[in-house]
């Protein structure tokens, strides 16, 4: 997308309802009755930006029908992202939510980070060629003007399907040069 391209629809992907609530309230977004992919548990909220020049949608991963908790982790995030792209056709997608930042990378509680790359730290596949595939380093869209304008921090986001971590995860997070650990990025 060129610097001159007009963004007319932004989708913000947020795993948990509680994480989405401040954004939903600030923009007075309304829950939509339709379902993405007709059976995906994702929940869609829509409205307009404050100046009215951009449609804003927030997509959460919905609730687990078996346990009644928010769907978290890379699989629900992938389903929500694919459905949002296919059905809402946004100009821009932002993956937002809470994560753990590493003090060694300058993170403190309450910091906001912009991803420079995403990688997995729990997909250990020790087969030639599959090791790199498992880690899956993906470059994020560069946004230096946003980082500068909002005085944000930036760095590698490393992701997994577990809130906790073990020694193998710690090793891969260090090898990935992780600044932030989450559960839905890569």
């Amino acid at each position: 997308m060129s610097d001159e391209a007009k963004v007319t629809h932004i989708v913000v992907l947020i795993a948990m309802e509680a994480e989405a609530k401040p954004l939903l309230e600030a923009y007075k977004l309304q829950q939509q009755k339709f379902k993405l992919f007709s059976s995906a548990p994702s929940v869609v909220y829509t409205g307009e930006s404050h100046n009215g020049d951009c449609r804003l949608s927030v997509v959460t991963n919905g609730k687990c029908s078996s346990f009644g908790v928010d769907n978290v982790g890379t699989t629900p995030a992938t389903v929500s992202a694919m459905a949002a792209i296919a059905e809402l056709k946004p100009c821009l997608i932002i993956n937002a939510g809470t994560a753990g930042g590493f003090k060694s990378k300058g993170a403190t509680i309450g910091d906001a980070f912009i991803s420079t790359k995403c990688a997995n730290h729990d997909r250990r596949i020790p087969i030639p060629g599959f090791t790199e595939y498992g880690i899956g380093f993906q470059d994020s869209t560069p946004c230096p003007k946003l980082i500068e304008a909002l005085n944000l921090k930036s760095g590698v986001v490393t992701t997994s399907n577990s809130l906790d971590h073990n020694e193998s995860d710690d090793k891969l997070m260090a090898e990935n040069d992780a600044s932030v650990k989450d559960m839905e990025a890569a």
Side-chain angles (χ1 to χ4, degrees):
M1 182 167 41
S2 74
D3 286 343
E4 292 79 32
K6 181 161 175 58
V7 175
T8 58
H9 186 193
I10 298 171
V11 168
V12 182
L13 303 171
I14 303 176
M16 301 173 72
E17 295 291 327
E19 292 174 314
K21 187 176 179 181
L23 190 60
L24 301 177
E25 290 175 352
Y27 285 89
K28 298 177 176 50
L29 303 180
Q30 300 299 310
Q31 183 173 343
Q32 300 304 299
K33 303 236 184 278
F34 67 89
K35 288 287 202 180
L36 296 176
F37 285 173
S38 73
S39 61
S42 310
V43 180
V44 180
Y45 301 85
T46 60
E48 299 292 323
S49 63
H50 287 309
N51 61 6
D53 67 349
C54 183
R55 183 172 166 217
L56 178 62
S57 298
V58 169
V59 177
T60 65
N61 295 342
K63 300 281 186 196
C64 172
S65 60
S66 297
F67 299 100
V69 298
D70 292 300
N71 285 311
V72 296
T74 59
T75 301
T78 300
V79 169
S80 291
M82 288 182 63
I85 291 166
E87 297 198 16
L88 301 177
K89 299 180 180 22
C91 300
L92 176 67
I93 295 179
I94 298 171
N95 179 17
T98 56
F102 294 102
K103 194 179 209 178
S104 64
K105 293 293 185 177
T108 59
I109 294 173
D111 283 347
F113 273 78
I114 298 288
S115 170
T116 56
K117 291 184 178 195
C118 293
N120 296 292
H121 64 262
D122 69 341
R123 288 179 39 170
R124 295 175 288 280
I125 311 170
I127 301 170
F130 284 86
T131 300
E132 296 78 12
Y133 162 77
I135 293 169
F137 254 120
Q138 301 295 318
D139 288 328
S140 300
T141 301
C143 41
K145 290 179 183 177
L146 179 64
I147 292 168
E148 183 180 343
L150 299 178
N151 195 28
L152 301 172
K153 295 181 179 180
S154 63
V156 175
V157 176
T158 186
T159 195
S160 74
N161 284 294
S162 296
L163 187 60
D164 66 356
H165 52 95
N166 59 38
E167 287 182 31
S168 295
D169 293 339
D170 293 341
K171 182 176 184 272
L172 277 174
M173 285 188 277
E175 289 173 7
N176 292 345
D177 194 31
S179 294
V180 177
K181 175 202 179 301
D182 90 330
M183 293 178 60
E184 289 86 21

